[in-house]
Amino acid sequence: MKESRELLESLGYPSTDLRDLPTSTKTFPDGAQYRIELPSTEGPVALEEMLKEIDRYGLTIHRISQGSGIMLLTDDEIKQMCELTAKRGMELSLFVGPRGTWDISAGPLTSAGKTQGLRHEGADQLVYAMEDLKRGANLGLRGALIADEGLLLLTKEMKKQGHLPEDFVVKVSVQMGSANPVSVKLMQDLGADTYNVPPALTLAKLASIRQSIDIPIDLYVEVPDNFGGFLRYYEIPEIIRVLAPVYIKFGLRNHPDVYPSGKQWEATNISLVQERVHRAALGIQMIERYCPEAKTSKLGTKDLGIPTLVSSPIV
């Protein structure tokens, strides 16, 4: 193995998982070590209810994300979500709409084809995803989730050519699945601004990824059942120390798969977002109890993908 490890080291990567868990010296641009993300906020009604709970607990939440996609939101719904988050200086990240599991192909739904995941099949789906991104940006959105390497590269080109704002935050979904220092570094090179690592990785494996990339890592500390259902609350202090800059992300165990969402799930979605805020309150108390010196960001920080308010779509 010596030759293989030497090659990795010569390329600037760790040659083994970092079991000594070195303290990360990297931070967000404002010097913060961690931020908080709440996912699966499906539409403006759920967002409004979530914000009420956030206020009730007195929490600082930096990023709100959503899974059903830009495609299934009207212009007015997107603008409403942008307005609600922009007023608070919060980042809003919406998923691109059409993707593998929604296509007519059964491949991503088969036992052997699940690795295709949410990737886009064929050129047309890439075009549809690009259109989703442009529509969101024209409505004020400044952040989106993607789960396809090709689309990731295209977002980089779209920024260069003015089809997307330069400050548009491209968040790579946990569905992408890259799980080692070299593959995640490739995601950074392709244009990822922030990367959601697989939630089952040990801290030693995650530490090797952190040493290889500069962009923020997003990590579920409560993991949806379909990704393993882990609860890593007591690890939060070490996660911050070892993985900074990191988004601490609160999913939820024991909930139905609501994607793609809509009115038929509205009451359920409200209940789910309320409980995610409760889980975030528990996690933030862990930080206050065990690592109160850890630095977090203020809302409105410049590098957050805070929406821009527009009176009408840009043509």
Side-chain angles (χ1 to χ4, degrees):
M1 296 183 190
K2 183 173 182 290
E3 184 177 73
S4 295
R5 295 192 190 280
E6 287 176 348
L7 176 59
L8 276 172
E9 290 175 2
S10 72
L11 295 172
Y13 297 104
S15 60
T16 186
D17 295 336
L18 301 184
R19 296 171 182 83
D20 57 339
L21 301 181
T23 297
S24 173
T25 59
K26 300 174 183 179
T27 65
F28 290 98
D30 63 351
Q33 296 168 286
Y34 76 93
R35 292 173 180 171
I36 304 295
E37 175 181 348
L38 293 179
S40 302
T41 308
E42 305 303 308
V45 174
L47 176 56
E48 286 181 328
E49 294 303 316
M50 174 180 276
L51 294 174
K52 290 177 185 176
E53 285 296 286
I54 289 170
D55 289 343
R56 189 168 73 85
Y57 280 98
L59 306 181
T60 297
I61 305 297
H62 302 89
R63 175 192 283 160
I64 301 295
S65 57
Q66 170 260 23
S68 293
I70 297 167
M71 184 178 75
L72 292 182
L73 292 168
T74 66
D75 289 1
D76 284 343
E77 287 171 332
I78 293 172
K79 288 166 67 176
Q80 187 178 353
M81 294 184 78
C82 286
E83 182 177 352
L84 287 168
T85 48
K87 284 180 177 178
R88 294 169 177 252
M90 300 167 71
E91 179 174 310
L92 176 65
S93 189
L94 306 181
F95 224 122
V96 292
R99 44 208 193 244
T101 50
W102 295 6
D103 203 356
I104 59 174
S105 167
L109 306 176
T110 64
S111 59
K114 288 181 179 179
T115 52
Q116 294 170 230
L118 303 188
R119 289 169 173 81
H120 304 289
E121 298 184 343
D124 284 348
Q125 273 219 340
L126 279 174
V127 171
Y128 304 154
M130 292 164 71
E131 289 298 301
D132 236 24
L133 289 168
K134 289 192 291 184
R135 182 168 78 96
N138 286 343
L139 293 166
L141 187 66
R142 289 298 179 268
L145 290 102
I146 69 169
D148 184 280
E149 301 90 334
L151 182 61
L152 180 56
L153 178 59
L154 286 171
T155 61
K156 192 174 183 179
E157 293 301 317
M158 290 170 76
K159 288 182 181 183
K160 287 181 182 178
Q161 298 187 31
H163 299 299
L164 283 178
E166 289 186 4
D167 62 350
F168 195 93
V169 176
V170 178
K171 171 178 162 58
V172 177
S173 167
V174 67
Q175 302 276 359
M176 189 78 91
S178 298
N180 64 66
V182 180
S183 61
V184 180
K185 174 62 163 55
L186 178 61
M187 297 301 107
Q188 176 179 286
D189 293 345
L190 287 176
D193 295 309
T194 175
Y195 185 83
N196 199 147
V197 293
L201 296 179
T202 64
L203 272 174
K205 292 175 180 177
L206 290 168
S208 71
I209 292 173
R210 166 43 70 212
Q211 295 300 308
S212 303
I213 63 171
D214 296 319
I215 59 174
I217 286 172
D218 314 335
L219 179 64
Y220 278 105
V221 295
E222 179 163 346
V223 184
D225 296 284
N226 57 353
F227 279 100
F230 318 114
L231 278 72
R232 304 182 69 169
Y233 285 81
Y234 273 100
E235 289 184 83
I236 292 175
E238 280 292 88
I239 287 168
I240 293 171
R241 181 182 70 81
V242 175
L243 301 186
V246 60
Y247 278 91
I248 305 297
K249 186 172 179 178
F250 294 90
L252 195 60
R253 284 283 308 270
N254 302 318
H255 76 81
D257 186 345
V258 298
Y259 303 137
S261 198
K263 289 288 184 182
Q264 76 274 30
W265 285 111
E266 196 160 273
T268 300
N269 280 328
I270 290 171
S271 176
L272 294 175
V273 298
Q274 289 172 336
E275 184 54 33
R276 285 191 191 92
V277 176
H278 174 239
R279 297 294 219 269
L282 295 174
I284 290 170
Q285 285 182 358
M286 287 278 188
I287 296 171
E288 293 171 345
R289 188 178 303 124
Y290 296 114
C291 58
E293 71 284 356
K295 296 180 181 178
T296 192
S297 295
K298 295 181 179 179
L299 295 180
T301 301
K302 186 177 180 181
D303 65 296
L304 286 169
I306 302 167
T308 299
L309 299 183
V310 295
S311 56
S312 59
I314 303 167
V315 179

